[in-house]
Amino acid sequence: MKIDVKECASILASKDNILILTHAHPDGDTLGCGFALCRALLKMGKMCSVINADEIPKKYDYLYEDIAPMKFRQEYVVAVDVATESLLGDLQGEYHIDMCIDHHATNSEYADVLLLEDVSAACQIVFEVIKELDVEIDEKMANCLYTGLTTDTGCFRYASTTASTYYAAAELIEMGADNGKINRIMFETKSKTYARLERLALDSMRFYEDERVCIITITQEMYRLTGSNEQETEAIPPLTRQIEGVEIGVTIREKPDGTCKASIRTYESVNAAELAKKFGGGGHSQAAACRFDCGVKEAREKIIEKCGELLK
Amino acid sequence: MKIDVKECASILASKDNILILTHAHPDGDTLGCGFALCRALLKMGKMCSVINADEIPKKYDYLYEDIAPMKFRQEYVVAVDVATESLLGDLQGEYHIDMCIDHHATNSEYADVLLLEDVSAACQIVFEVIKELDVEIDEKMANCLYTGLTTDTGCFRYASTTASTYYAAAELIEMGADNGKINRIMFETKSKTYARLERLALDSMRFYEDERVCIITITQEMYRLTGSNEQETEAIPPLTRQIEGVEIGVTIREKPDGTCKASIRTYESVNAAELAKKFGGGGHSQAAACRFDCGVKEAREKIIEKCGELLK
């Protein structure tokens, strides 16, 4: 059942012992939502914690390092920024999910109640929910929410960014969000290992279909050579779409088990979610993802074939 | 003499046949200011045009392609986003400069009247001036102003970006600024020639002073090898500051005559304008520039020496 911000806040206000689930391979938006909402609920005197199937990259430490871990028996489970249950990774099937707060048009409505808004970051919705809960937003909450806004919009760069996103960012900065520091961590800091991986990734860049398709392939071997790992690949997918004339950019990442995942980036002319859906994935019109049970070479061939069909 | 927004608007309203000067090696902020102000003054029925010492890169075409060139004898000259007269390049000394609208703390006060505000882009000041002139801001003006905001803040990324910058951007989007398209042109589009130049630039990256200084050197030879040119180097300087541990990033660009120019990027720990001043240049605390009469190798040695002193 779909609910609005008011209903969402009123349900949350009536619950306690709340467990918040974030999506696997966590990014700034799911974590920003999780920890901002957790902070708000803690301020209301409730028991609350945030969990994730995977390890949280170190750069997100500031979102939660001051929150003391707490043990309680969850009575209400909320998933934030999680479009489908499968995106929960190893947490899938572990919990009955009572509520979902999300901004993906492809949300599969797996939760009992769903607050879905067409905004550029799920944090924008959680911002509204926290306001509605009437909790005073402190600097740390503002940092969490700003983190989601900036990471999901490529630092306010993507076409999905609207006036309301900018207004929300302005408000959060007034509330104490340290935008300079956050953007520096998220966008302006390349670890030496990432810088090495990026060079190899650029080397792997190949063009197909009259150079309208650009594919980067990241293998486990590349992680070994550079001392890097999958957590450091977030900034790679946008690189595929940046070259003049490219309409579909795909980044294929090999998993330790030899299967792989593809991140798809497009512009207006091609719907990324549509392409991802052909392989059982999903996402937004210009940024989507899917998984493959095969190796990178086979996945690449399958992707090129479908791209060819889409571009016809 | 320093003036405020109200005084600036009232002077402009009283003048006609206005010539607007933008700085050499033009960027989105000086051009955005110039053409937004020009459009506003034209709407008020005045004669007005914008000039620049150098060729304007093609990506800025949308700022002015619909403005018909006009011939008139200038009666009032306004420089926008020009910190010192020398930044006018070949236009220096050609005109008496009546007014300057600028946001560089290092402004040398060369104009009769100066509107100086400590904001992240000069376009933010021009936005206020146009509002004060009571001209209705159309989509094209909004595009010009948004272009200045986004280019001078690295797409709202730098620490200089404040809540007021985000509010201004939100307003401009509501007025019709096509943020998605503008950011795509400015930040998401790499020409094939630029992509090749960027690879060579990354190859030239060297570290000094315990890896706290990163220097990229771009030579005329690199332009020849890649089919690129200096106009395409705008996105290079930020790359120097992105590697973990780097406090000073410098991009040295060789000129056709063998002399060179350096773009300096720093974080809080080092004042970029202070470093640039040691070589007769100027700018902001985290982004500045200077010129050298010598070749790239000698300039590099001089820079490394001064960096060593600053980091002590």
Side-chain angles (χ1 to χ4, degrees):
Chain A
M1 192 183 71
K2 295 252 177 92
I3 54 171
D4 63 19
V5 169
K6 260 196 159 56
E7 289 164 327
C8 174
S10 126
I11 294 169
L12 289 173
S14 74
K15 304 292 180 184
D16 202 348
N17 300 314
I18 298 164
L19 184 68
I20 300 174
L21 310 184
T22 50
H23 66 68
H25 188 60
D27 61 16
D29 197 25
T30 197
L31 295 173
C33 284
F35 292 111
L37 187 58
C38 178
R39 287 172 185 279
L41 296 170
L42 291 173
K43 262 201 173 175
M44 294 171 80
K46 298 176 189 297
M47 299 288 274
C48 181
S49 71
V50 179
I51 59 169
N52 191 285
D54 298 326
E55 201 186 329
I56 297 178
K58 244 195 102 45
K59 64 178 173 179
Y60 296 113
D61 278 359
Y62 68 94
L63 295 177
Y64 65 96
E65 59 195 351
D66 60 308
I67 302 178
M70 41 176 70
K71 285 232 165 201
F72 58 89
R73 198 191 149 86
Q74 75 276 355
E75 290 170 9
Y76 199 74
V77 178
V78 182
V80 287
D81 192 41
V82 183
T84 64
E85 278 194 277
S86 66
L87 293 173
L88 288 168
D90 290 346
L91 296 179
Q92 183 180 9
E94 294 285 308
Y95 303 95
H96 173 83
I97 299 165
D98 300 291
M99 175 187 282
C100 175
I101 301 175
D102 191 22
H103 70 128
H104 296 89
T106 53
N107 188 290
S108 64
E109 304 196 25
Y110 56 87
D112 290 354
V113 295
L114 168 65
L115 172 55
L116 182 74
E117 282 189 18
D118 180 23
V119 288
S120 53
C123 272
Q124 229 178 304
I125 314 172
V126 171
F127 187 19
E128 291 174 52
V129 171
I130 296 176
K131 282 181 185 169
E132 190 65 36
L133 285 169
D134 214 19
V135 175
E136 203 201 331
I137 295 176
D138 59 27
E139 285 174 25
K140 289 186 166 153
M141 252 183 256
N143 278 340
C144 291
L145 294 170
Y146 182 89
T147 298
L149 293 190
T150 192
T151 53
D152 249 31
T153 58
C155 201
F156 307 92
R157 179 179 294 195
Y158 303 149
S160 61
T161 321
T162 62
S164 75
T165 324
Y166 283 93
Y167 278 123
E171 272 186 78
L172 289 167
I173 292 168
E174 285 175 336
M175 289 166 171
D178 192 347
N179 57 304
K181 189 187 126 197
I182 294 169
N183 289 327
R184 180 175 165 180
I185 294 171
M186 296 300 154
F187 301 104
E188 291 282 318
T189 309
K190 290 182 184 175
S191 67
K192 297 234 162 71
T193 50
Y194 171 75
R196 287 197 287 262
L197 180 70
E198 192 188 61
R199 299 291 302 281
L200 291 187
L202 290 174
D203 282 340
S204 82
M205 198 181 253
R206 295 289 178 276
F207 298 89
Y208 306 92
E209 300 293 324
D210 289 329
E211 312 210 328
R212 293 161 77 192
V213 177
C214 171
I215 300 184
I216 279 178
T217 309
I218 298 172
T219 61
Q220 291 289 319
E221 172 74 3
M222 289 185 188
Y223 296 137
R224 277 191 294 272
L225 285 171
T226 57
S228 184
N229 59 51
E230 195 186 336
Q231 286 182 1
E232 290 200 302
T233 59
E234 242 177 44
I236 304 273
L239 302 179
T240 55
R241 192 174 53 175
Q242 288 178 338
I243 310 287
E244 246 182 347
V246 169
E247 291 173 69
I248 307 176
V250 184
T251 303
I252 304 175
R253 284 181 284 223
E254 188 182 27
K255 296 268 173 197
D257 65 3
T259 66
C260 58
K261 191 185 159 179
S263 295
I264 301 165
R265 296 290 183 276
T266 61
Y267 285 122
E268 301 76 27
S269 60
V270 179
N271 190 315
E274 205 180 290
L275 178 56
K277 255 190 183 168
K278 291 184 192 296
F279 303 109
H284 303 282
S285 65
Q286 300 188 13
C290 52
R291 286 174 184 279
F292 291 87
D293 285 332
C294 57
V296 292
K297 279 187 194 168
E298 199 180 330
R300 188 163 52 211
E301 276 162 33
K302 285 180 184 172
I303 291 165
I304 296 167
E305 190 193 331
K306 291 288 173 206
C307 286
E309 289 170 18
L310 265 175
L311 291 172
K312 237 163 228 151
Chain B
M1 193 184 72
K2 295 253 178 94
I3 54 170
D4 64 18
V5 168
K6 259 196 161 57
E7 289 164 325
C8 175
S10 125
I11 294 170
L12 288 172
S14 74
K15 303 292 180 186
D16 201 349
N17 299 314
I18 298 164
L19 184 67
I20 301 174
L21 310 183
T22 51
H23 67 67
H25 189 59
D27 62 16
D29 197 25
T30 197
L31 295 174
C33 284
F35 291 112
L37 187 57
C38 179
R39 287 173 186 279
L41 296 170
L42 290 173
K43 261 203 175 175
M44 294 171 80
K46 298 176 189 296
M47 297 288 273
C48 182
S49 72
V50 179
I51 59 170
N52 191 285
D54 298 326
E55 202 186 327
I56 298 178
K58 245 194 102 47
K59 65 178 173 180
Y60 297 114
D61 279 359
Y62 68 93
L63 296 177
Y64 64 96
E65 58 194 353
D66 59 309
I67 302 178
M70 42 177 70
K71 284 233 163 199
F72 58 88
R73 200 190 146 86
Q74 76 276 357
E75 289 170 9
Y76 199 74
V77 178
V78 182
V80 288
D81 191 41
V82 183
T84 65
E85 278 195 276
S86 65
L87 294 173
L88 289 168
D90 290 345
L91 296 178
Q92 184 180 10
E94 294 284 308
Y95 302 95
H96 173 83
I97 299 165
D98 300 291
M99 175 187 280
C100 175
I101 302 175
D102 192 22
H103 70 129
H104 296 89
T106 54
N107 189 288
S108 63
E109 305 198 25
Y110 56 88
D112 291 353
V113 296
L114 169 65
L115 172 56
L116 183 75
E117 284 190 16
D118 181 22
V119 288
S120 54
C123 272
Q124 229 179 305
I125 315 171
V126 171
F127 187 19
E128 291 175 52
V129 171
I130 295 176
K131 281 181 185 168
E132 191 64 37
L133 284 169
D134 214 19
V135 175
E136 203 202 330
I137 295 176
D138 59 29
E139 284 176 24
K140 289 186 166 153
M141 255 183 255
N143 279 339
C144 290
L145 294 170
Y146 182 90
T147 298
L149 294 189
T150 192
T151 54
D152 249 32
T153 59
C155 202
F156 306 92
R157 177 179 295 194
Y158 304 149
S160 61
T161 320
T162 63
S164 75
T165 323
Y166 282 93
Y167 278 125
E171 272 186 77
L172 289 168
I173 292 168
E174 286 175 335
M175 290 167 172
D178 191 347
N179 56 304
K181 188 187 125 195
I182 293 169
N183 290 327
R184 180 175 166 182
I185 294 172
M186 295 301 153
F187 300 105
E188 290 282 320
T189 309
K190 290 183 183 174
S191 67
K192 296 230 160 76
T193 51
Y194 170 75
R196 287 196 288 260
L197 181 70
E198 193 189 61
R199 299 291 301 281
L200 291 187
L202 290 173
D203 282 341
S204 82
M205 199 180 251
R206 295 289 178 277
F207 298 90
Y208 307 93
E209 300 292 324
D210 290 329
E211 312 211 330
R212 293 162 76 194
V213 177
C214 171
I215 300 185
I216 279 178
T217 309
I218 298 172
T219 61
Q220 290 289 318
E221 173 73 4
M222 289 183 186
Y223 296 137
R224 276 190 296 271
L225 284 170
T226 57
S228 184
N229 59 51
E230 197 187 333
Q231 288 182 0
E232 290 199 304
T233 59
E234 243 177 45
I236 304 274
L239 302 178
T240 57
R241 193 174 53 177
Q242 287 178 338
I243 310 286
E244 245 183 351
V246 169
E247 290 173 71
I248 307 177
V250 183
T251 303
I252 303 174
R253 284 180 283 221
E254 188 181 28
K255 296 268 173 195
D257 66 1
T259 67
C260 58
K261 191 185 161 180
S263 295
I264 301 165
R265 296 290 183 277
T266 62
Y267 286 123
E268 300 77 28
S269 59
V270 178
N271 189 314
E274 205 180 290
L275 179 55
K277 256 191 182 169
K278 291 185 192 295
F279 303 108
H284 303 283
S285 64
Q286 301 189 13
C290 53
R291 285 173 184 280
F292 292 86
D293 285 332
C294 57
V296 293
K297 280 187 190 166
E298 201 180 329
R300 189 162 51 211
E301 277 162 32
K302 287 180 182 173
I303 292 166
I304 295 167
E305 193 194 328
K306 291 287 172 207
C307 287
E309 289 169 19
L310 265 175
L311 291 173
K312 237 163 225 152

